[in-house]
Amino acid sequence: MTASGVSVRFDDVFKAFDDTVVLAGVSLTVEPGEIFALLGPSGSGKTTMLRLLAGFEQLDRGRLLIADEAVEHLPPARRGVGMLFQSYALFPHLSVAENVAFGLKVRGGSQEDPQARVAEMLELVRLSGFEQRRIAELSGGQQQRVALARALAPRPRVLLLDEPLSNLDPALREETRADLRRTVKQTGITTVLVTHEQEEAFELGERIGLLNEGGLEQVGGPAELYRDPASRFVATFVGRCSVLSGVVLERHGGDELTVRLESQPHAEPWLCRGDSGLRAGEQVDVCVRPEALELSTDGGSGLAGRIEAERFTGSNSFYTVRLASPRSDAGDGSAAGPAIEVAMPGTAASLSGACVVRQLAGEPPSVFAGASTESDP
Amino acid sequence: MPWLVLAFLVWLVGYPLLVVAAEAFGIGSPGGGGPTTEAFRSFFTRADEWNAMWRTLWISVLSTLAAAAIGVPLGFLFERNEIPGRRLLGALVALPVALPPLVGVIAFLFLYGESGLAARGLQTLGLDVSWRLTGAWAILLVHAYSMYVYFYLFTRAGLSGQDGAAIEAAQSLGASRRQILFRVTLPRLRPALAGATLLTFMTSLGSFSAPYIFGGGFRVMTTQIVASKLNGELRMAYVETTMLALLAFTSLLLLRRIDPGLDLASGARGTPPARRRLHSRGARVAAAAGGWVLAGVLLLPHATLILMSLVPPNTWTVEAFPPILGLVNYGELLSSTERLRPALNSLWMAAAATLAAVVVGVMAARLSLRRGGLPGRALEAMMTLPWAIPGTVFALALAAAMSVNAPWVGRFVLVGTLWILPLAYLVRSLPLTGRSIFAGLRQLDPRLEEAAASLGAGSLRTVLQIVLPLLRPAVIAGAGLAFITMLGDFVTSIVLYTYDTRPISIEIQSSLRIQETGIAAAYGVLLMLLSAAAFIAWDDRAGGRL
């Protein structure tokens, strides 16, 4: 069953619709057999990358290679690319089996028995026995699996998944996600997935490319994106995070550095991780994950502030804390809510929770957007 | 490929109009001579020409008003009230829309004409009445009778799409029934009424059968054009054609402005208000009786047509009611190949034109929607254009363009051949099939075609296996309408027919001319039956949507 995957390469790909630049020179290599997730907000160009690869759009500049062979001039039918559409795009007038067989009949020529292949595919997606059903008779999850079987049946070299779970209700999504990953991994096919949901990208993708405004912000594994975001955009798009302005005080060995928070000049500097290129005195954004912060009321060395809001989500509680401005007293009564202290324990363990990125010109000045933490049950 | 299809459409639809306009100015006519505005000058100075133009306008305005006055109340009656037999009566009331205009016109003639059934009946009752069904009022009567259906159908559709909650909201705010009608229901009916107005006005502008049969000396533009052509005043006919085309265009542009578009449509689609039930038994009986009388009046002309078809030749002279009835006319019609030929002609020409219009429609719609931009819009415009232009105009335009052998400028001698009528029918079918195919394709998920392509299917295969099967309801709806319309076509046929390709409508007209009323009526019934059969088959397949 396992096929050896092929590589996919975007080489300085440029694409504009009318006057709007959608992809501004994107280069990316997807390794053979890898599941690669393109993550980004809507309008970031991720769907365009997928459609360029499938051949539904033509690139303006650059090259597109599948298994080191240029494909940008091939029509969709000859690229050997299978696609799972967001709307599934199942043919409503054909039965389940006819849908799955469509690509086999069209290609013809091969010695393979189409019926056997259809049966094999339906078994793979656990829909054996559904051959004669009409599409309208299937649930959303079943339709998604038929669409996957149809895309895989002609043995494409690359599988493209366009927001594959967005049409399912949340309860079904989690279950289907694991299922989808298992099925795709079983075939060993190189897969490119598009999603705007971080959770989906993290769970399905072995590597993730985060797109923003037509460019790749960062490519890496899920943990890398979470722990070492390359920019403030990555830090805030992937997971929850509070952003504070600061100045690098001192570099230590490796990627450790101490940062003074701009709004809290008298507070103890924070120990963070950051790019080795950062120098002392440089303006930075400190991105801190909620789980790296500790809230306390016993008057320690943390930053004083007041709780503005609390949001309880079941396993966690998230607090929005307004830090006291350095000139006024924290107990000054102007802000409502109970007083609290926010601390960032400067231990090595906490390093994964706070990191520093270069402040970009043009980005609005950072304010303490809100600290949140796990509640102590 | 889009350019090829566009070029074909421009050649078929746009080019003949340009040719006729050019020839009106004396440009490119076979007779030679330089450009001249002489014909236009005489058009603007001759009173009969101006009169025809003016009459066309006011007849169209009055026809629209009359049709609205009948159709809108009927629409309210059947959509908002639960009367006995509502469904059947409601469908019967819509019937005239499925019948060719010429059939309706001769049915009227047989019923309300000078020596029609009604006049004879009244005379038998001892009433000394005599009238002539001729002139403007006759045309208006026939128009109102055949065009109220547009208002009726649009009103019903508009009402059924309204949200009952809006009425309940008005009630809870203290509005009276009258206030609700004028401030809630009617304003929201405006898009539907605008649509019906546009359709009725444009149909009336291009109406030919009624003015031709009943007009007498009262000429409107369509009959004026045909008369000029018959008199050999070709240049004048081209000028009139150009003027009528301009009038139609201007009217279309002006009438479009009364359509508020979708602005008035409510965002949420609710359920229409419940129909009013008649509680008292007397009211129910009265409503049912009224409904049936109405249906009877509306169907009486067609019943008369059937009766007339059963009257053997030369058996009905002075009696009030025909003394002998039989199937002689049908026997004559079916036993002689010469008599049967027009029916076969109509069938094959309408079928060929419809088929071609479907093929062109599918190609144009796919290319237009996929390409978008200027070629896309141009393709759609070319498909829609014949709808806005009266049939007489197109007939004359094709006659002008296709009577010269000049292949290098895209002109061929097709007039007088087998091809000209099917080609003209094709032009007139394009908007009918195009409208529904464009709509159908717009509803189709474009990802379906992409899915087929990504699975390795080529263009032809995608069309045959995916697009066409899914487009079937839209294709059937458009093709059915085009087929029925072309089956009964009179307006283009009278300009372009040859003896070998004469359709049913022409045969009806020539039978009438030689006083073979029984034969004419039998042809009319045949046309009615063919249309009804096509309509029923179509309605069935198209899922009952009009």
Side-chain angles (χ1 to χ4, degrees):
Chain A
M1 184 76 225
T2 306
S4 55
V6 298
S7 68
V8 170
R9 217 168 94 212
F10 289 81
D11 193 359
D12 194 24
V13 168
F14 188 93
K15 174 74 185 171
F17 292 108
D18 296 324
D19 293 334
T20 314
V21 175
V22 181
L23 293 174
V26 170
S27 294
L28 171 72
T29 303
V30 179
E31 303 297 338
E34 185 180 28
I35 304 182
F36 190 93
L38 285 167
L39 176 67
S42 57
S44 59
K46 54 191 192 307
T47 299
T48 305
M49 281 182 78
L50 208 66
R51 292 176 61 79
L52 283 170
L53 198 53
F56 302 139
E57 306 286 353
Q58 299 306 310
L59 41 74
D60 297 335
R61 204 181 69 207
R63 303 191 67 197
L64 211 52
L65 300 107
I66 296 178
D68 297 322
E69 172 204 351
V71 295
E72 63 264 17
H73 301 300
L74 293 180
R78 290 183 45 211
R79 291 196 182 189
V81 169
M83 181 142 170
L84 176 61
F85 291 82
Q86 186 174 9
S87 60
Y88 312 141
L90 291 170
F91 305 132
H93 60 300
L94 302 181
S95 68
V96 167
E98 286 167 332
N99 263 281
V100 177
F102 188 87
L104 301 170
K105 286 187 181 147
V106 165
R107 295 232 163 111
S110 89
Q111 291 83 13
E112 198 171 21
D113 174 20
Q115 261 180 319
R117 182 67 179 162
V118 169
E120 185 189 358
M121 286 297 103
L122 288 179
E123 199 187 324
L124 179 72
V125 297
R126 293 186 287 127
L127 280 175
S128 300
F130 283 69
E131 285 80 358
Q132 299 316 315
R133 294 280 186 97
R134 308 218 60 90
I135 298 305
E137 296 167 2
L138 303 180
S139 71
Q142 289 167 337
Q143 290 187 7
Q144 195 249 23
R145 277 142 63 198
V146 174
L148 182 64
R150 185 183 69 176
L152 287 171
R155 300 182 193 281
R157 299 187 293 174
V158 180
L159 177 66
L160 307 179
L161 308 175
D162 185 8
E163 307 261 9
L165 304 173
S166 63
N167 270 336
L168 301 176
D169 51 71
L172 198 59
R173 236 179 254 185
E174 207 146 318
E175 183 193 324
T176 312
R177 208 183 282 158
D179 216 32
L180 183 62
R181 189 182 161 105
R182 174 191 63 84
T183 310
V184 171
K185 265 315 194 202
Q186 209 172 326
T187 61
I189 187 172
T190 309
T191 301
V192 182
L193 151 89
V194 152
T195 178
H196 64 274
E197 280 186 32
Q198 176 232 321
E199 216 176 313
E200 202 170 298
F202 272 38
E203 205 171 323
L204 286 172
E206 291 160 331
R207 278 197 309 149
I208 294 154
L210 185 56
L211 276 160
N212 184 33
E213 291 180 351
L216 273 170
E217 291 269 342
Q218 190 172 3
V219 176
E224 190 184 341
L225 257 64
Y226 191 76
R227 289 187 192 140
D228 292 315
S231 65
R232 188 169 140 190
F233 173 79
V234 179
T236 50
F237 193 83
V238 175
R240 294 168 198 274
C241 148
S242 300
V243 181
L244 300 102
S245 281
V247 178
V248 178
L249 279 186
E250 196 187 339
R251 277 216 73 91
H252 307 289
D255 53 4
E256 291 179 20
L257 32 80
T258 40
V259 177
R260 178 178 301 289
L261 299 180
E262 217 158 50
S263 63
Q264 309 288 329
H266 308 301
E268 200 154 299
W270 281 6
L271 183 62
C272 305
R273 283 152 42 107
D275 187 52
S276 55
L278 290 166
R279 297 208 187 86
E282 205 164 326
Q283 283 276 339
V284 290
D285 279 330
V286 179
C287 308
V288 52
R289 301 287 178 200
E291 63 269 23
L293 294 171
E294 272 180 5
L295 297 181
S296 65
T297 49
D298 51 10
S301 60
L303 311 174
R306 285 182 177 277
I307 296 176
E308 279 199 342
E310 179 191 350
R311 196 158 55 85
F312 177 65
T313 63
S315 58
N316 291 305
S317 273
F318 292 91
Y319 295 94
T320 305
V321 176
R322 178 170 298 279
L323 292 180
S325 100
R327 284 189 196 94
S328 69
D329 182 47
D332 194 19
S334 59
I340 196 103
E341 281 202 357
V342 183
M344 231 268 310
T347 62
S350 72
L351 285 181
S352 64
C355 69
V356 156
V357 293
R358 226 173 235 110
Q359 211 170 61
L360 296 176
E363 268 183 326
S366 307
V367 290
F368 198 16
S372 22
T373 188
E374 262 175 67
S375 67
D376 270 338
Chain B
M1 193 62 177
W3 296 107
L4 206 67
V5 178
L6 185 58
F8 173 73
L9 281 174
V10 168
W11 172 77
L12 189 63
V13 177
Y15 186 56
L17 293 175
L18 286 182
V19 168
V20 87
E23 295 216 347
F25 283 104
I27 304 166
S29 55
T36 163
T37 54
E38 186 199 318
F40 275 93
R41 275 208 301 275
S42 83
F43 177 87
F44 285 113
T45 48
R46 270 165 59 175
D48 57 335
E49 301 290 340
W50 268 113
N51 265 334
M53 193 94 162
W54 168 236
R55 284 167 177 162
T56 304
L57 254 182
W58 71 254
I59 285 276
S60 299
V61 171
L62 288 186
S63 299
T64 308
L65 291 177
I70 304 174
V72 175
L74 274 180
F76 269 91
L77 181 69
F78 282 97
E79 197 58 39
R80 282 287 164 84
N81 297 285
E82 194 54 69
I83 53 176
R86 193 183 65 88
R87 290 175 68 92
L88 179 62
L89 280 173
L92 282 178
V93 167
L95 203 63
V97 81
L99 299 173
L102 183 66
V103 172
V105 167
I106 61 163
F108 244 75
L109 186 69
F110 292 148
L111 178 58
Y112 299 119
E114 208 176 333
S115 55
L117 207 58
R120 286 177 191 246
L122 289 175
Q123 277 155 12
T124 321
L125 291 175
L127 295 166
D128 184 22
V129 287
S130 68
W131 67 74
R132 282 172 59 78
L133 190 67
T134 180
W137 297 111
I139 298 172
L140 270 179
L141 191 69
V142 178
H143 278 183
Y145 167 76
S146 54
M147 294 174 198
Y148 77 86
V149 184
Y150 298 138
F151 276 95
Y152 169 72
L153 289 175
F154 274 67
T155 302
R156 285 196 67 171
L159 285 177
S160 72
Q162 284 194 0
D163 189 357
I167 290 173
E168 284 163 7
Q171 278 170 344
S172 75
L173 292 166
S176 67
R177 275 180 64 173
R178 195 187 152 82
Q179 282 172 317
I180 290 174
L181 176 66
F182 283 99
R183 297 187 50 188
V184 179
T185 306
L186 281 180
R188 297 179 66 206
L189 207 56
R190 202 173 128 188
L193 294 181
T197 302
L198 184 64
L199 193 56
T200 311
F201 189 88
M202 298 306 283
T203 308
S204 177
L205 211 59
S207 164
F208 178 76
S209 302
Y212 183 77
I213 304 281
F214 291 121
F218 183 90
R219 292 235 182 100
V220 294
M221 284 303 276
T222 50
T223 45
Q224 181 83 353
I225 290 170
V226 172
S228 295
K229 181 170 187 285
L230 285 178
N231 291 340
E233 287 185 89
L234 268 189
R235 179 77 51 88
M236 186 48 91
Y238 296 157
V239 171
E240 290 156 358
T241 303
T242 310
M243 294 307 293
L244 180 58
L246 284 177
L247 182 65
F249 254 134
T250 318
S251 308
L252 181 70
L253 292 181
L254 289 177
L255 283 173
R256 282 225 160 147
R257 303 179 67 142
I258 62 166
D259 187 351
L262 294 172
D263 293 345
L264 287 177
S266 90
R269 232 182 122 69
T271 42
R275 293 195 179 85
R276 205 139 42 90
R277 290 199 170 276
L278 300 171
H279 291 295
S280 87
R281 196 185 146 77
R284 276 201 302 276
V285 171
W292 285 105
V293 168
L294 177 76
V297 168
L298 292 171
L299 296 181
L300 206 54
H302 297 96
T304 311
L305 187 70
I306 295 173
L307 179 75
M308 291 298 290
S309 75
L310 298 175
V311 179
N314 309 319
T315 58
W316 190 19
T317 49
V318 292
E319 300 86 346
F321 200 79
I324 309 168
L325 295 178
L327 293 170
V328 184
N329 295 316
Y330 290 98
E332 162 83 15
L333 208 135
L334 295 173
S335 60
S336 134
T337 43
E338 266 313 286
R339 293 281 199 193
L340 206 53
R341 186 135 172 207
L344 297 176
N345 278 341
S346 280
L347 280 172
W348 85 257
M349 290 192 298
T354 303
L355 188 68
V358 165
V359 172
V360 175
V362 170
M363 283 169 80
R366 280 191 80 228
L367 291 168
S368 167
L369 296 183
R370 187 186 287 175
R371 289 280 299 228
L374 191 66
R377 283 199 302 276
L379 275 169
E380 192 168 1
M382 280 298 138
M383 291 290 293
T384 328
L385 185 66
W387 182 82
I389 303 285
T392 312
V393 169
F394 262 109
L396 253 286
L398 281 172
M402 300 306 163
S403 58
V404 174
N405 188 29
W408 53 93
V409 289
R411 295 176 71 174
F412 309 90
V413 177
L414 296 178
V415 171
T417 71
L418 197 65
W419 300 107
I420 190 71
L421 256 194
L423 207 62
Y425 286 3
L426 167 61
V427 175
R428 299 200 57 219
S429 300
L430 285 176
L432 302 175
T433 58
R435 202 184 172 92
S436 101
I437 291 172
F438 267 82
L441 209 55
R442 280 203 169 95
Q443 283 173 0
L444 215 61
D445 183 1
R447 304 282 172 268
L448 290 173
E449 285 195 44
E450 290 179 357
S454 78
L455 291 166
S459 195
L460 186 66
R461 194 161 195 138
T462 305
V463 169
L464 292 181
Q465 293 191 355
I466 304 298
V467 178
L468 278 184
L470 292 174
L471 218 52
R472 214 175 66 171
V475 166
I476 289 172
L481 203 56
F483 183 74
I484 293 171
T485 311
M486 289 311 120
L487 203 59
D489 174 85
F490 181 49
V491 41
T492 10
S493 306
I494 194 162
V495 177
L496 296 170
Y497 81 95
T498 64
Y499 182 74
D500 287 334
T501 60
R502 66 191 191 282
I504 298 180
S505 58
I506 295 300
E507 197 66 12
I508 290 177
Q509 180 229 5
S510 44
S511 305
L512 274 184
R513 185 168 287 165
I514 54 171
Q515 303 296 323
E516 287 185 340
T517 48
I519 290 287
Y523 272 119
V525 172
L526 185 67
L527 195 51
M528 209 160 82
L529 290 177
L530 287 173
S531 303
F535 183 75
I536 288 164
W538 164 70
D539 197 42
D540 206 30
R541 294 284 190 95
R545 57 184 167 141
L546 273 165

